[in-house]
Amino acid sequence: MKNLLLILLMLPIMTMAQEKQKLDDAMKQLEELKKNMTPEQRAMLDKMGVEQTMKTTKDKMQSGNAGTAMMPMADPNKIPEKISALVIPPTPTDKAKLIAYLKPIFSQTENAMKPDNVKAVQTLLDKGSETGKYAMVFWTHNELDKALYLLVNACISNPDDYVSINNLGALLTLSGYAHKSLPLLLYTQKFVPQSSTLLNNIGQAYLSLGYVDKAKPLFLSAIAKDSTKAEAYRSMALIAQKQGDKTLCGSYLEKAIANGGATTENINQLRQLAPEKDLSEYIRKRFKQFYKDHSVTKRFTVPPVPASYEEAVARDNEVEAYFRDFDATVNAAYKTQQELTNKYEGQVNDNQAKKMAQMQQVMANAGKPGFSKSMQDMKASFSNPFMAQAGIMLSSIDNPQFSKSYISRMKTETGNRLKSETELKQALKSEFDDKINALTKEKSNLKDGEGQNAANARAVEIEKEVCGLKTAKQSKWLEKMAEINNRYIHNMEDLLNQRLQEYLFWNSIQMQSMQDPTAINYAAYVSYLNNLKDLAYPLFPTHVDGGLSKPCSDYLKANNYKGKIHEWEREHCEVDFGIDIMVAGGKMNCEGWSVYADFKAGSFKYEKSIDPVTWQTTGHSISVKGGKDKEFEVGKIKASVGASVETTVKFDGNMNPVDLIVKGTAGAGMNGPVGGSAGADLGSVEISVSNGFNASGPGFTPLGSSFLK
């Protein structure tokens, strides 16, 4: 089943690229895969029509008629080989000409949209910059037709809204209309020439049309004004790659990743150029604030190593009980771990079946308008927004090749401890062992015995001196080793704790779309306990052969304590955090992924939730706040709200109204996750774009087909 998913994921890329040989290879792979399928899997494959779709695609390639489903796509990792033949219209010179340039785009956009989508946003038109803000909310939720429609209207109704003009240019570039975006971006540059975002966007438009010489200085200027411009770094990396400078390409990719551009494309490309590069520190820096500290790490805190014989004797019960409890707990945890693993094993198959059903629904529309985009969206849905980062972190945490990995740092700590122990042994040898050896040698040369009073007396004195030296040596050894070992245990506890936090967080993200992460996270708990016990147990003097003795050879007797099992809670979800995604806030946890925006001074809040398995939209909600008796209409629901009333209309995944909630509290908080930039003034937000390279013309548009003339 898993291999079948991989084959299907390859299909949209191949068909969209019109690469006949790759499609032939994919069909051969599918044939080989079918040989090992169960009858049920073959039946599902036939029902989905995957093989027939591939054959139809091949026939269209041979006939030269790709059809709607075969719309050519730009490669976002490759700059066009030739400069585009598309004509760049003149840059407007004043507001009147700007509006004249925008009106045909507005009309063409409206005509290309579904009537219901046009109707849904009519009440948001003609509000100037506020309309531009609403547009960004729809952009965030990938409703790009509505975003484009509102942005064009915002620019027409307020031609001084340079933020909206910039954002409109960015959206047009992303949609494959860079030749149409450049007049808008160049017009805006006359008024805000110092904007790094605008410089980047102009560079992206030029680059997508193949004008490398014009784009490069714009990216460098954007970086000079804002050193965190990940999009500009990414594009400079592609330019360096095109010019054959692999070293410079890798350097720019590293800077892009360090500044938030940790995309799958950037990571994979840098790994090809510099496979030894450790990227984990860049990602850790951005996500460490969301790691959880877990209660189990507080319950099993290693007691201090005794610093003297007397302390070791006095605390013997405590230390032995601690390690017996450790043993009993770990043994019990192994059983629980197996139970959890068995319980959740079936979830992978269940969730893959769910994804297969999603594929089946999409494949049923093969050859119909919008199929290419639905295939692209489906492919993206199989990986949550942070999967690339999760893969990097989980492969780096214990990679011995990386000096900052936990395994390397723990190895360094162990080396430091052994070095300190060796130095202490050498110091004690000079201070005690040499004297003890000399006295022992002297005693062996004495001719003591019956009648040898002087020799006998000296032998007794030597025994007392040796005993005193051994006692003093042990006293100093225990004191200094307690310092060394307690420091080592403290540092290792800290590293193991951080390592556990990191594993649980990234495990949860990576496992979220496959199964409940409880089982694998519980296994990480057990591993943590074992590691903690293994490093601490040998460091206590009562556990070292000959490591502790009562002065003059009266050895401490061992005990036989039994351990108690310490239970701890199983934390189902280790990941729960909000992020700032420029124009809205975001929230991710084991229930799914939410994106939302909130205009504090306005009347609009919009939230979308996504299934954590398929990443399909499961529900929307729109909240409207208004003044006294202000009437509003959303979808099919009409209501009147008072000065202190917030009304939330909930919708299902298809935007059908399903619920209406009215809160009578002034300034009521949002329904759902909070955080990120939801309360920010979105009027100052500018969108930066990257990639979207397509010299031949539009390949992916907000409306699913080419519509601008």
Side-chain angles (χ1 to χ4, degrees):
M1 183 75 78
K2 183 177 181 181
N3 291 333
L4 177 59
L5 289 175
L6 294 176
I7 290 290
L8 296 178
L9 286 177
M10 294 167 64
L11 176 61
I13 299 174
M14 295 168 190
T15 57
M16 284 185 267
Q18 292 186 301
E19 297 178 13
K20 182 176 179 299
Q21 184 58 51
K22 289 186 177 180
L23 185 57
D24 287 339
D25 292 341
M27 292 177 73
K28 290 178 182 178
Q29 284 182 286
L30 186 58
E31 283 299 322
E32 289 298 316
L33 187 63
K34 286 176 65 176
K35 294 178 182 178
N36 298 318
M37 283 184 180
T38 64
E40 292 78 11
Q41 288 175 326
R42 282 196 293 271
M44 179 179 289
L45 188 67
D46 292 339
K47 186 178 180 182
M48 289 173 64
V50 175
E51 193 169 11
Q52 183 58 48
T53 299
M54 296 174 84
K55 289 179 180 178
T56 301
T57 298
K58 185 176 179 180
D59 292 340
K60 287 184 177 181
M61 286 181 180
Q62 292 173 337
S63 65
N65 178 22
T68 305
M70 294 299 302
M71 185 165 45
M73 299 293 290
D75 184 351
N77 299 305
K78 187 177 181 181
I79 299 171
E81 293 295 332
K82 298 179 181 179
I83 293 178
S84 172
L86 295 170
V87 177
I88 302 173
T91 301
T93 55
D94 54 43
K95 295 179 185 178
K97 291 182 178 178
L98 173 68
I99 293 173
Y101 179 77
L102 289 170
K103 282 186 175 180
I105 296 178
F106 182 76
S107 298
Q108 292 167 32
T109 302
E110 185 174 53
N111 291 335
M113 290 174 64
K114 294 179 180 179
D116 288 345
N117 287 358
V118 174
K119 183 179 179 181
V121 295
Q122 283 298 305
T123 58
L124 305 178
L125 294 174
D126 301 322
K127 300 180 184 294
S129 59
E130 189 175 0
T131 297
K133 295 179 184 180
Y134 294 146
M136 301 318 295
V137 178
F138 288 107
W139 186 340
T140 303
H141 292 78
N142 204 35
E143 298 181 64
L144 299 182
D145 56 342
K146 296 176 183 177
L148 179 62
Y149 187 58
L150 292 173
L151 274 174
V152 179
N153 176 264
C155 298
I156 292 173
S157 60
N158 181 10
D160 292 324
D161 181 6
Y162 303 121
V163 170
S164 290
I165 300 174
N166 168 75
N167 292 340
L168 173 59
L171 180 53
L172 287 173
T173 299
L174 283 170
S175 303
Y177 298 97
H179 63 300
K180 290 287 189 179
S181 73
L182 274 167
L184 299 172
L185 297 171
L186 293 172
Y187 173 83
T188 307
Q189 189 182 22
K190 295 187 296 185
F191 302 97
V192 282
Q194 301 303 314
S195 169
S196 62
T197 299
L198 182 61
L199 290 169
N200 172 74
N201 288 349
I202 298 173
Q204 300 292 350
Y206 274 127
L207 194 62
S208 69
L209 296 172
Y211 293 97
V212 176
D213 292 341
K214 290 184 177 181
K216 186 174 180 179
L218 288 161
F219 293 136
L220 293 175
S221 295
I223 291 169
K225 295 180 185 300
D226 182 358
S227 61
T228 66
K229 221 63 183 168
E231 305 89 354
Y233 286 125
R234 163 65 173 166
S235 295
M236 286 300 297
L238 292 173
I239 291 174
Q241 181 188 42
K242 182 179 178 67
Q243 296 173 343
D245 193 335
K246 293 183 179 180
T247 302
L248 187 60
C249 177
S251 175
Y252 278 124
L253 284 171
E254 189 174 349
K255 290 178 180 177
I257 292 170
N259 288 286
T263 63
T264 302
E265 291 79 12
N266 288 349
I267 290 170
N268 289 342
Q269 189 175 0
L270 182 57
R271 276 182 160 174
Q272 292 176 4
L273 296 171
E276 76 289 347
K277 180 67 66 174
D278 182 7
L279 303 176
S280 61
E281 280 301 301
Y282 299 134
I283 300 171
R284 183 177 292 117
K285 182 179 179 181
R286 300 177 71 85
F287 285 90
K288 191 173 183 180
Q289 60 180 310
F290 305 117
Y291 294 173
K292 284 184 178 181
D293 198 10
H294 299 273
S295 57
V296 67
T297 61
K298 298 295 186 295
R299 266 173 229 174
F300 281 98
T301 302
V302 180
V305 176
S308 68
Y309 172 84
E310 291 75 19
E311 183 185 357
V313 172
R315 293 182 45 229
D316 184 44
N317 291 353
E318 168 203 341
V319 171
E320 291 305 314
Y322 172 81
F323 284 109
R324 297 299 183 273
D325 289 353
F326 235 141
D327 281 336
T329 301
V330 170
N331 290 335
Y334 275 131
K335 296 179 181 179
T336 303
Q337 177 186 331
Q338 188 59 48
E339 292 171 3
L340 289 171
T341 301
N342 293 337
K343 180 179 179 181
Y344 293 111
E345 270 181 349
Q347 284 196 330
V348 173
N349 291 333
D350 291 344
N351 288 336
Q352 284 193 347
K354 191 175 182 181
K355 290 178 180 178
M356 290 292 286
Q358 181 187 5
M359 281 183 172
Q360 183 178 340
Q361 185 178 12
V362 171
M363 297 301 289
N365 294 317
K368 298 178 182 178
F371 174 67
S372 292
K373 182 179 181 299
S374 65
M375 288 292 282
Q376 185 182 47
D377 291 344
M378 182 181 69
K379 181 175 181 293
S381 77
F382 290 165
S383 175
N384 70 47
F386 306 105
M387 189 69 82
Q389 290 95 319
I392 285 290
M393 296 306 296
L394 290 173
S395 64
S396 301
I397 288 173
D398 284 335
N399 190 333
Q401 295 180 343
F402 299 153
S403 61
K404 293 187 178 180
S405 69
Y406 286 102
I407 196 72
S408 295
R409 291 159 68 187
M410 288 189 285
K411 186 177 179 180
T412 298
E413 288 295 335
T414 300
N416 290 339
R417 193 200 74 81
L418 292 173
K419 180 182 177 182
S420 297
E421 182 177 331
T422 300
E423 291 173 350
L424 176 59
K425 286 179 179 178
Q426 187 60 43
L428 293 178
K429 181 179 182 300
S430 300
E431 187 174 354
F432 298 103
D433 290 350
D434 290 346
K435 295 178 182 179
I436 292 172
N437 291 337
L439 288 170
T440 302
K441 183 177 180 180
E442 179 186 347
K443 186 176 183 297
S444 67
N445 292 328
L446 287 176
K447 295 181 180 180
D448 53 347
E450 188 176 350
Q452 300 295 325
N453 295 335
N456 291 339
R458 179 56 184 157
V460 172
E461 290 176 4
I462 288 175
E463 288 180 1
K464 290 181 179 179
E465 288 181 43
V466 169
C467 182
L469 287 169
K470 286 183 177 179
T471 300
K473 177 189 174 183
Q474 175 175 264
S475 178
K476 193 162 188 177
W477 168 263
L478 292 174
E479 178 187 356
K480 296 300 180 183
M481 282 304 295
E483 293 177 8
I484 294 170
N485 288 335
N486 283 327
R487 181 171 61 248
Y488 169 72
I489 290 173
H490 173 76
N491 292 342
M492 291 291 280
E493 276 183 313
D494 190 44
L495 287 173
L496 287 171
N497 192 1
Q498 293 178 51
R499 180 171 173 259
L500 176 64
Q501 291 179 26
E502 205 153 283
Y503 261 123
L504 296 179
F505 183 84
W506 294 111
N507 276 340
S508 295
I509 286 181
Q510 189 176 67
M511 297 298 295
Q512 188 190 50
S513 60
M514 293 185 285
Q515 68 177 62
D516 187 304
T518 302
I520 191 170
N521 283 339
Y522 195 86
Y525 280 134
V526 176
S527 175
Y528 165 83
L529 292 176
N530 268 324
N531 289 332
L532 193 60
K533 180 198 169 191
D534 290 345
L535 77 90
Y537 189 84
L539 303 181
F540 283 77
T542 49
H543 301 149
V544 179
D545 186 22
L548 183 69
S549 63
K550 191 172 183 178
C552 302
S553 303
D554 188 357
Y555 288 92
L556 186 72
K557 294 181 180 179
N559 54 49
N560 292 304
Y561 296 108
K562 292 183 179 180
K564 297 179 181 179
I565 297 174
H566 289 244
E567 296 287 352
W568 65 85
E569 64 277 6
R570 305 171 193 170
E571 299 185 48
H572 162 76
C573 184
E574 311 300 340
V575 54
D576 184 359
F577 62 95
I579 62 168
D580 180 348
I581 53 174
M582 190 72 77
V583 298
K587 188 77 175 176
M588 180 179 179
N589 55 36
C590 281
E591 298 302 318
W593 166 251
S594 296
V595 183
Y596 53 87
D598 183 19
F599 300 96
K600 297 289 185 183
S603 59
F604 188 73
K605 181 194 73 178
Y606 190 13
E607 181 177 335
K608 176 174 77 171
S609 297
I610 298 176
D611 186 300
V613 175
T614 63
W615 293 87
Q616 290 183 312
T617 300
T618 57
H620 304 257
S621 68
I622 298 178
S623 294
V624 183
K625 293 182 182 179
K628 185 175 181 181
D629 296 328
K630 181 176 180 179
E631 193 174 85
F632 71 93
E633 185 171 356
V634 182
K636 300 177 181 178
I637 299 178
K638 188 173 182 180
S640 178
V641 296
S644 61
V645 174
E646 174 184 354
T647 302
T648 299
V649 184
K650 289 190 175 182
F651 299 81
D652 62 18
N654 296 317
M655 288 301 290
N656 299 312
V658 294
D659 199 2
L660 179 66
I661 301 173
V662 178
K663 288 189 176 181
T665 305
M670 291 194 297
N671 296 324
V674 295
S677 61
D681 177 11
L682 302 187
S684 61
V685 169
E686 294 178 300
I687 293 297
S688 286
V689 300
S690 61
N691 307 329
F693 306 136
N694 195 332
S696 61
F700 170 65
T701 75
L703 306 171
S705 61
S706 179
F707 71 102
L708 290 183
K709 309 300 182 185

